């Protein structure tokens, strides 16, 4: 894609620790969604505690992956986030990328400000908007501000804050398997069953286009659907374990696609291009036709020619007695003639010789 085509752009919720040195699949996909060689990317490192280096790293990465331009914009407080000078670069962006760091700081600076509204407007006109770690969580309407790790869902295990609302009806968590965040996401689903829980592994992205989610990267995306949950979340006390029965679990590896609205798996496994599918179907049709021809013919024409030659030999050698001329000797019929056997035909005696 060289220019924005209209309609909302893709959303990239990246689980953190995306590969920056070797196989940069996730970041490459983001650059392609942002316009490829025409991509104009704005990096927003507000959540990060690192200095200018974080901008330099992503500028070098996105430039190496083919982006046309990469700039950094870093509002540090809500006053900055309402300053037109910080907002102007977003107006021409085809891709906006928010780095990881402190999730609560990112939410406190960006949401409900002119900067946050500019990010939403950029997405609406077709820009790709992505984030890694904290930058992934803020894409949802409700984001996890902080919480504890653990496999068991417990009361008061995490705290929510307001997000940008680009991903509706869901909560996004990151570093999911690597930091054992199953319990805290499941506890939030138990408390708010109408929300899907989306947990994204490291070096993995949940790419949302419309209502469809596709998984990219080397890990998996875990989805908790609490539509039919039975839970005691409304009366469990303090840090007690929370009952969560009837939750539907989806673990989606790379290439899997999921409908966020209908909450069903759409497809999984490699999906070849349409041209390759057409070629495969044509080849399959040819194979079916060939199989029918082989079944009808049975064997090759050469086989039939050899059978005919041998049959002609047998006919010549085993002619009826009435057809044997005087002076000719009969072949000995001591052994049966079998297909493929070579027959030895006695030489006929000279016409003027005597027979005994």
């Amino acid at each position: 894609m060289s220019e924005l085509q209209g309609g909302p752009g893709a959303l990239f919720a990246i689980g953190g620790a995306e590969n920056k040195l070797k196989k940069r699949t996730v970041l490459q996909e983001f650059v392609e969604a942002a316009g490829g060689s025409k991509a104009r990317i704005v990096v927003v490192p507000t959540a990060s505690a690192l200095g200018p280096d974080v901008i330099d790293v992503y500028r070098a990465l996105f430039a190496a992956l083919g982006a046309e331009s990469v700039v950094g914009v870093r509002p540090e407080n809500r006053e900055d986030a309402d300053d037109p000078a910080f907002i102007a670069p977003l107006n021409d962006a085809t891709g906006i990328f928010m780095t990881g760091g402190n999730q609560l700081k990112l939410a406190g600076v960006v949401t409900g400000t002119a900067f946050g509204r500019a990010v939403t407007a950029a997405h609406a006109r077709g820009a790709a908007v992505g984030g890694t770690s904290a930058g992934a969580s803020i894409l949802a309407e409700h984001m996890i501000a902080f919480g504890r790790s653990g496999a068991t869902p417990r009361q008061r295990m995490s705290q929510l804050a307001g997000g940008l609302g680009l991903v509706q009806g869901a909560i996004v968590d990151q570093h999911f398997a690597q930091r054992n965040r199953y319990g805290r996401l499941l506890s939030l689903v138990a408390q708010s069953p109408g929300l899907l829980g989306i947990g994204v592994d490291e070096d993995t992205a949940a790419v949302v286009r419309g209502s469809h989610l596709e998984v990219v990267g080397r890990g998996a995306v875990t989805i908790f659907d609490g539509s039919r949950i039975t839970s005691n979340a409304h009366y469990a006390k303090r840090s007690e374990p929370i009952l969560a029965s009837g939750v539907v679990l989806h673990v989606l590896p790379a290439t899997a696609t999921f409908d966020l609205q209908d909450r069903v798996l759409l497809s999984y496994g490699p999906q070849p291009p349409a041209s390759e599918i057409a070629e495969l179907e044509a080849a399959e049709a040819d194979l079916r036709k060939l199989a029918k021809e082989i079944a009808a013919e049975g064997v090759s024409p050469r086989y039939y020619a050899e059978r005919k030659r041998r049959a002609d030999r047998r006919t010549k050698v085993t002619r009826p007695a009435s057809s044997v001329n005087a002076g000719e000797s009969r072949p000995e019929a001591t052994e049966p003639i079998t297909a493929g056997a070579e027959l030895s035909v006695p030489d006929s005696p000279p016409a003027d010789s005597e027979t005994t």
Side-chain angles (χ1 to χ4, degrees), residues 1-2 27-28 30-43 58-71 94-95:
M1 183 176 83
S2 60
L27 295 178
Q28 182 70 70
F30 177 78
V31 172
E32 291 300 320
S37 62
K38 300 289 186 179
R40 300 180 298 275
I41 298 174
V42 174
V43 176
Y58 281 105
R59 180 184 289 117
L61 280 169
F62 289 140
L65 293 172
E68 181 180 282
S69 67
V70 184
V71 298
T94 62

Side-chain angles (χ1 to χ4, degrees), residues 311-337:
D312 289 343
R313 269 186 171 184
R314 288 197 298 271
T315 301
K316 180 179 178 181
V317 171
T318 59
R319 282 179 296 177
S322 58
S323 65
V324 180
N325 296 325
E328 291 183 347
S329 61
R330 300 177 186 274
E332 293 292 336
T334 56
E335 294 182 1
I337 300 174

Side-chain angles (χ1 to χ4, degrees), residues 2-50:
S2 60
E3 295 293 340
L4 298 181
Q5 301 297 316
L11 298 170
F12 281 70
I14 303 170
E18 66 279 2
N19 199 324
K20 301 178 181 66
L21 298 176
K22 297 180 181 179
K23 194 172 182 180
R24 297 168 290 191
T25 303
V26 172
L27 295 178
Q28 182 70 70
E29 287 281 343
F30 177 78
V31 172
E32 291 300 320
S37 62
K38 300 289 186 179
R40 300 180 298 275
I41 298 174
V42 174
V43 176
V44 182
T46 299
S48 177
L50 301 176

